[in-house]
Structure formats: C-alpha cells, structure tokens
Amino acid sequence: MPKSLDESLSFFKDKISDCIKTGKSISVTTHIDCDGLTSGSIITKALIRAGAKCTVRTSKEFSKKIAESFKTDSRDFHIITDLAGGFANTLDETLGDNWIVLDHHQIPEEEKDNQNVINAWSYGIDGGTEICAGGMAYLASMALDERNSDLSAIAVVSALGDRQDQGERKSFTGKNFEIANIAKEQGLVEIDLDLLLVGRETRPLADALAFTSQPFIEGLTWNRGACLTLLNASGIQLKDEGRWRVPAELTEVEKRQVIESITKFTSGKNATEIMSELIGYTYTFPREDRQSFLRDGREFSTMLNSCGRINRSGVGMAICMGDRNKILREGEIILTDYRKMIREYMNVLSNERWRISESETCVMVNGVDIVPETMTGTISSLIAGSPKNSGKIVILRTNGEENTIKFSSRKSFSCKSDINLSELMRTGAEKFDGIGGGHAAAAGAKITKDKLDEFLNYLEVNVVNMSGTNKSQ
Ligand code: C5P
C-alpha cells in the first residue's frame, strides 16, 4: 500500500491518541546504542507529555524470541525504535495491529508496504545518512504535538552518534539538516566549523588530541606525551591560571597553530585525509554548563553509546529526558570507564598480530575473548578509522551469548567498494540460520558458533577476495 511519510505520521498520531483515549498502556523498546537511547527517550518523553501510560526498556538486539515475548507482556501497545527491521511479519503474528516500528535501518522490500513500519527508506529517505531513529522519533513526536520541537536537540545527538554527519566537513544533509536547523533556530544548538577534537569542552588540549582516534594519527593518537611535546613546541599556552585549557577555548590563531603543527608532524603523510577528518562542523549545546560532557554534541553521543555498551542504558535515557543532577556524575564515570576499556581492547588487538588478517580489500579482526559483544561496533568503527585501513572493509568478530559469534563490519574512510554490507550480512547470516542487517557502510550479524567456518568462507568469497563490485552469493 503506497503511503507518504506524512500519512504514516498521522497514522502514528491516531494510534497513540486511541491508546491514550482508551487507557491502553504503551511499551517502548529501543536499542542500547546512542541512536536507540535518544529515539527511545524522544518518543517516551513525547508520550508522557501527551498523557500516555508508558514504560521504556532497552535491548541489545531484536529477535523472534523478543517479538514472541511481547505476546505475554502486560502492555497493550508496542513501539519499537531503532530495532526490528525484518521482523514485521513476526510482529503482525504476535501483536496483530498493536505495534509500530520507528526506524532507519535498511529493510526487505516487502516490509515497506506494512503500515506499522515507519522506516525512512519507505519514503525514499536515505536512512544511512539523512535521518536516524532519533530523527524518525522526533518527527513522530512532532506529529503528536508541535510543542515537542525542543526534542530536536536530542535528535541532533542521535544523528551524531550514528555518524550521519557525512556531508561536507561533517555537516548534516536531508532531514538531519532540517532538524539541526530547528534546534539552532530555537537557540538549543550552535553549529560552527572547528577542530574536531574528542572532549572539546572537557579535556586538556593534549589529552583531547591524544584521545582523538578519528582520524587516527600514528604517533599522536593515544600518546599523550607526544601530543604534549607537539603542543608545547607550537607555542600555544596550554594552561590558564594553573588550569589546563580545553580545545573549545582556543582562539582562531591558536587553532591554526595546532593544525600547522600536526601537518608538520605527519610530514605530509595522509595529511589531506587527516585534516579533512579533523576540521568540521561542531554542535554545541549552549544551555549545558561549560566544561560539561553534554555541551559538545559528539561527546554527548559518546557518553550515550558508552552507557548502553556497559549496560547502563537507564543513565543515558535519564540524561536525554532532562535529568541533570546526580546522574551527571554517573554519566561521567561511565564515559571514563568506557574510554579506558576501548584503549585496552585496541592495545591487545594491535599487539596480538595473529588476530588480524588482511587482504587488499578487507581487514578481518578476531576479537574473541577480548572484545565484549556490546562493544564490537565501537571497536570496528575505530579500526576502520585508522588511516592504515583507509579504503578497506573491516570485519570484527567476537563471541556472543548462548554460543554465538557476533560480527561487526564497517567501510573505512574512502572505501570505494560498492558492496552493501547490510545485504552482505543479512544474506550471509540467513544462509546459516543467523540474523544480520544494518546499513550499506556499517552492518552486523550473529550466527551460532558451529556455523563459524562456513560463514568465514562466505565472507572470504564475497568480500576478502573481491576487488570491486559484488552481489552476495
Ligand atoms: O553491531 P554493529 O554496530 O556492527 O551494527 C552496525 C549497524 O547495523 C547498527 O546500526 C545496527 O543496529 C545494525 N544491525 C542490524 N541488524 C543486525 C545487526 C546490526 O540492523 N542483526
């Protein structure tokens, strides 16, 4: 049945109004990553404002088992955000008409006709770059009440967390651009061209440079001593009355000094790529305190990703929904722990060379017994961000719960392959009774351990030995 986005959003509004009128309780189920926590928070906040009876929970994936568990759930109506692509038939079977999915992942063609699936791709919107689940939830919240436009700020965080800042100089395009501008018009976000250092508002300059791993600058990334030496030599004043200055405090002249020093340090190697990743649009929330990790949109999104990845989703959702007291300290601790874990995993993976096998097109990384399942996406993104993997596809695997193996794949910067990773992962996983999906440039899959060799063979044929075009076999 052909439908427009507006028609679907008004269908959503009618469904929710009916739930509120008839006193039906609503359950929101969302993913644990930044886009999941933001989309879940946006829609939950809008439901609460509308007077709905609702609860929210997170899940690290969606499966037939989860869909079936809804059947015995005491809640009457289910909203699923950032999850459940490919499960429309199962949801129809288990819940009849009492569900809606708000999502942006690629879905099978036939699912686009299901009116309960409100997915970006069904309306010709690129869910990989133009809108994410947070944006879809924002549009749905606006359909409920235009006063929800303040939730646009959280939708900006979701798009940053899902790395949809893929326009020129890390700008937004499509719906994300529109939503970011709504937030800007309301004075909720400031958008500037700046140095993209991690911890712009919170970290001493040398630390910010050392912890910036996208781009990965050989010799500087994760090497605080080298960063300090470089910055001292550049002549920039690193302290102000005894306090370390943070990147957001640099003047334009000082920023240029930093850029020149880095260019000199890399002696021109990958300099263009490094600079194109290092300078871009920043999204600052002026209402958050200075030097708070919530003031910079990307840092906010990292904090949310870390919450989910270390099983503290509730903290992230509380912050998204406006909690700013004790919970902030918790968020800060989570962020520190998460970053420490990332450094540890990356160190082990680069020291234990046997874990990595490379071909011209692909880097396969074995993270078994090192990388926890919930962090495969973070680690595969980081590996793909390293200049030495530029142009390649990265596939990381690790062990999951219940005798499974989790795969996470990414296209690195300037990867020209037209392989669609979402198709690759879905087709491959289905062949071996697993589940897979995602986006063209970032996708995941899960299979049982006994199918590992066969799945690796499949990847060998379809990615490792491919040089260009591909159709999964
Ligand atoms: O797990 P990973 O971070 O590698 O997944 C990349 C993207 O693919 C994410 O957006 C995730 O939600 C999506 N994905 C999916 N279905 C799966 C696995 C991952 O849609 N079975």
Side-chain angles (χ1 to χ4, degrees), residues 244-260:
W244 291 103
R245 294 173 73 210
V246 299
E249 292 172 291
L250 292 186
T251 63
E252 290 308 312
V253 174
E254 288 173 323
K255 283 173 199 164
R256 270 198 296 278
Q257 281 171 273
V258 173
I259 292 169
E260 273 166 32

Side-chain angles (χ1 to χ4, degrees), residues 62-81:
F62 203 79
S63 63
K64 207 165 178 210
K65 207 163 131 191
I66 294 178
E68 276 162 4
S69 75
F70 288 167
K71 216 175 359 190
T72 50
D73 194 292
S74 60
R75 269 61 60 106
D76 306 302
F77 191 86
H78 291 262
I79 300 176
I80 302 136
T81 53

Side-chain angles (χ1 to χ4, degrees), residues 31 105 309 376-377 406-410 435-439 442-445:
H31 192 208
H105 290 99
R309 306 285 179 210
T376 46
K406 155 85 189 165
F407 282 80
S408 175
S409 62
R410 296 289 183 273
I435 44 170
H439 308 282

